[in-house]
Amino acid sequence: MSTVSLDRLNAADKAQFAAMLGAIYEHSPWVAEAVAAKRPFATLAALHEAMMDAVRGADDAAKLKLIKAHPDLAGKAARAGALTADSTGEQASAGLDRLNEQEFETFHRLNAAYGKKFGFPFIVCVRRHSKDSIFRQFETRLDHDVAREYDTALQEVFRIAALRLDQHVEAPDKLNVQGRLTTHVLDTHSGHPAPGVAVELYELSSTGTGRLVTTSVTNADGRTDAPLIAGRPLPIGRYELRFSVGDYFARRSLALADPPFLDVVPVRFAIAEPEGHYHVPLIVTPWSYATYRGS
Amino acid sequence: MSTVSLDRLNAADKAQFAAMLGAIYEHSPWVAEAVAAKRPFATLAALHEAMMDAVRGADDAAKLKLIKAHPDLAGKAARAGALTADSTGEQASAGLDRLNEQEFETFHRLNAAYGKKFGFPFIVCVRRHSKDSIFRQFETRLDHDVAREYDTALQEVFRIAALRLDQHVEAPDKLNVQGRLTTHVLDTHSGHPAPGVAVELYELSSTGTGRLVTTSVTNADGRTDAPLIAGRPLPIGRYELRFSVGDYFARRSLALADPPFLDVVPVRFAIAEPEGHYHVPLIVTPWSYATYRGS
Amino acid sequence: MSTVSLDRLNAADKAQFAAMLGAIYEHSPWVAEAVAAKRPFATLAALHEAMMDAVRGADDAAKLKLIKAHPDLAGKAARAGALTADSTGEQASAGLDRLNEQEFETFHRLNAAYGKKFGFPFIVCVRRHSKDSIFRQFETRLDHDVAREYDTALQEVFRIAALRLDQHVEAPDKLNVQGRLTTHVLDTHSGHPAPGVAVELYELSSTGTGRLVTTSVTNADGRTDAPLIAGRPLPIGRYELRFSVGDYFARRSLALADPPFLDVVPVRFAIAEPEGHYHVPLIVTPWSYATYRGS
Amino acid sequence: MSTVSLDRLNAADKAQFAAMLGAIYEHSPWVAEAVAAKRPFATLAALHEAMMDAVRGADDAAKLKLIKAHPDLAGKAARAGALTADSTGEQASAGLDRLNEQEFETFHRLNAAYGKKFGFPFIVCVRRHSKDSIFRQFETRLDHDVAREYDTALQEVFRIAALRLDQHVEAPDKLNVQGRLTTHVLDTHSGHPAPGVAVELYELSSTGTGRLVTTSVTNADGRTDAPLIAGRPLPIGRYELRFSVGDYFARRSLALADPPFLDVVPVRFAIAEPEGHYHVPLIVTPWSYATYRGS
């Protein structure tokens, strides 16, 4: 599914409209069809709200069918390459296409237990989660009763739909689905922002070593040219920033200890609000540092 | 060699005196013999100074013989269990008795290169170093010329002697051979020291994962009951403190994010002054922390 | 009243004992007399407890007489120099002997209002308060009912007695009546404690400028040789520490801005726990600083 | 002199052009006349450069006349209201129109000494200075020799011209004559920016109390809606920010000490770079704070 403008969606005939938004709800073009007559939509938020209302207003059988239209996470369909394009991208975003055998078995076991208890697949908006966080969701939600899980599943369906709308529709407004992770290195030894500091971001996992998410280097303003993560939800999970301040201070020709007191400074933190702005700066001298959740 | 008091050393006959201090200089009881007539020594420092003077005043052949009396680090004698008791303990303190094959080969290669270039064994006061730091010393000193290494070797012999004196002789004064690593956790969310915070200290290595040095828990004053390292030199090297502040704040029943922004806080730093006092505190809230080299 | 040891109090005859402790409760030697037969006291705490019990067990007329035996704060007796030695020192400790006319009038008005409402003088353990805090106490307590003030007055009488015991009796134990204010300057530009930093402590007042309490200079360990306040309760009130870090960094020959970004750093804080330990350090570079309530 | 666009200056006839820029150099319209033929100017920077070149290329008599065309600071002309409009505004910006008698006398004395030594008036770009800083400049520059002061005077004439161009000419580019002072309050007790914190900015003076420069309140992002100073050079001088964090935390219904450990937090700092960006944030909990020069 490519990008389309809200204007074009408003101007299209009903069949085109339904076709263009048919993939927003998994295997359920009826949701788009149900709102075609409510056009024009002034905002993407209004379109999203109308589609959610269509789902909420459907009968229980239709809702359950919508829920069941979703694939298992890291399930057989995924292994067989039989997912929708959106689902494929979403599962890959959390690394579900790169599981080792043990993780695959865990997913298999959890999917089976969940399906047996609730009678429908486990649905989670995976772009809002790291792999660890998905496992935690699975375990927490397996303890729920059916009614609560049914509601939760619909909420996650709506979150998935919101993200698909955000990615596929150009509109004057933005849905609140994107977060932002930024950093900043301030050198309080010199009283200036620290340029040229290498920064690495790792996603940590309970089962092993971290996964490198991105690398960057601070610019003249002590910031990275682009946010470390942006344009998408921040996956709930644990992270580590690594700042190469030893190299930075060495380049400034300071008389440092040997080895220097600080070299690579790790800052380990968790993201809990996928749509939030996390600013995690480093205020540093060769002998001290501070960090905090800023904004 | 057991512990002996300075008083007893002063009162002993010459043969006893030489026997009691015979192991201070490796396989070289003549150093002790040479200072027996200078007794009584009012302080351990005076005794140490006199013994160093005896070495400095010896002829070149005697000095070279003293240097050559030292075993290779992690060498054949060590493998064969043929070291003096002191050397055995010293090499074990830096983990040289627990090398993997690759590290053993590296030591073998470096010992051979050093011996070939200088004609005497590589001597370093290993209690002042981590394994990584010993490798770095080796590489740095291989670039020196013979005269400089000869001087360096004697300096290290003196450092070894000072530490042996510190361990074996009870005296009213202390030689400046011990360092101290301490920490402190202050909770600036509540305005009080943080009790019950689990603290782990790891020695980091360039070739792999860290080695757990010690664990502790902060007391009511936010400090550990005993220093993390004390009573010996601080081995030059890189370290990581890990503070379990997530568990601490969870016990205080604060409304934290899920997962909490901060859980285990790593503080990575290097020690460069074995005889120094390193105080590395953590000033922390659920959303921020600061650390520094204090004293 | 001079200092006396607990041993001597235990060994004295009853009349001597009563004489030596006659001033602990204002104009009420009967309290000491009442406990003479309970000797020996193993600790100062036991003696204090026994004397409080004697007061608590007295009839209401005796208690009221004890309360009424206290002078007005900054009242006529004080102006006339007719206070007991202890009361004279106590009132001076909070500056009540150096009031300006307006403050004197305020005390006069508050004493009159209090006496009219409650029928006994306003009693507060003045060593635990600054002048501002005494005014605040006056205003708060004027709103109480008589029963509550009666209890409060007795509590303050006991606090006054505890402090007098602490000052006049030498014993193996200490009553918990002393607080401590300390500081520490750490230079994280150099990674060392900051020696030679001039420190001033002012007590702030709502009605005017601050009163200089003490000055000091940091030693080689970045601390002051003696606590800024010790050996007494910390008066509840607002304070300002002033650290001359501009002069300190200038002496270190750093290339500073002109004028330097930081010169005299004021740290303004309040003391609310007279028996607490307040450690208020400064962690500073030429471009940054941090402070906190430590311990 | 009102605002004019660079386009209009480029299009005007020579007489209009000279009239519109006649006040850029004090009583010296010849500078504008000299560059009229060099039009069109693509940028304000090019115009400024051309005018400076015209001055630099003039003969010594013309330059000296230009220098002498400037009024004394706080001198007789100022008192008589006989300054140019620009000079009037400039002198008022540093408070030179609100001197007390002692300050007026000091200026009189310094002007006289300077005039006697150098033969021309003391020129300084007053918008770049606080009153204290102007006094300091006076004292420093009185020690210079004539050649150095002559150069310094011309530099200050150019700075004054740049500021007048910045204020009077609209152009696509900006001269680097404006600084910016901003702040930010981050509450690391809650992990969020602190809204609603009252902030006061005072300019400090060596001779007395501070002068209130501006007040503001932090918004939802913990920042002030507008910079504390912007659109002009930051006057070199000493300042104090006062943050009412006690009121802020009290509104958040935290259980604070009584009185609260922190109430109004003063941050005292100096500005040395009039064209710089000074960001002076406060990272605060009820028990701690940190500040630094950020950007």
Side-chain angles (χ1 to χ4, degrees), chain B residues 187-192 283 285-288, chain D residues 187-192 283 285-288:
Chain B
D187 167 6
T188 49
H189 185 276
S190 74
H192 292 292
I283 320 296
T285 78
W287 301 99
S288 64
Chain D
D187 167 6
T188 49
H189 185 275
S190 74
H192 292 292
I283 321 295
T285 77
W287 301 100
S288 64

Side-chain angles (χ1 to χ4, degrees), chain D residues 8-93:
Chain D
R8 210 174 134 217
L9 285 171
N10 280 328
D13 67 31
K14 184 176 172 180
Q16 284 175 318
F17 176 81
M20 289 189 285
L21 295 185
I24 299 298
Y25 284 80
E26 189 81 358
H27 295 306
S28 304
W30 62 267
V31 184
E33 284 159 18
V35 303
K38 303 206 168 167
R39 290 178 296 165
F41 294 106
T43 62
L44 188 57
L47 170 59
H48 178 43
E49 199 56 50
M51 294 179 84
M52 288 194 292
D53 278 347
V55 172
R56 289 186 196 112
D59 61 26
D60 283 349
K63 283 186 212 167
L64 189 58
K65 192 175 169 196
L66 168 59
I67 289 173
K68 288 186 170 178
H70 288 75
D72 277 347
L73 287 185
K76 282 181 195 160
R79 283 223 153 170
L83 299 187
T84 62
D86 282 300
S87 282
T88 300
E90 287 155 8
Q91 298 208 14
S93 82

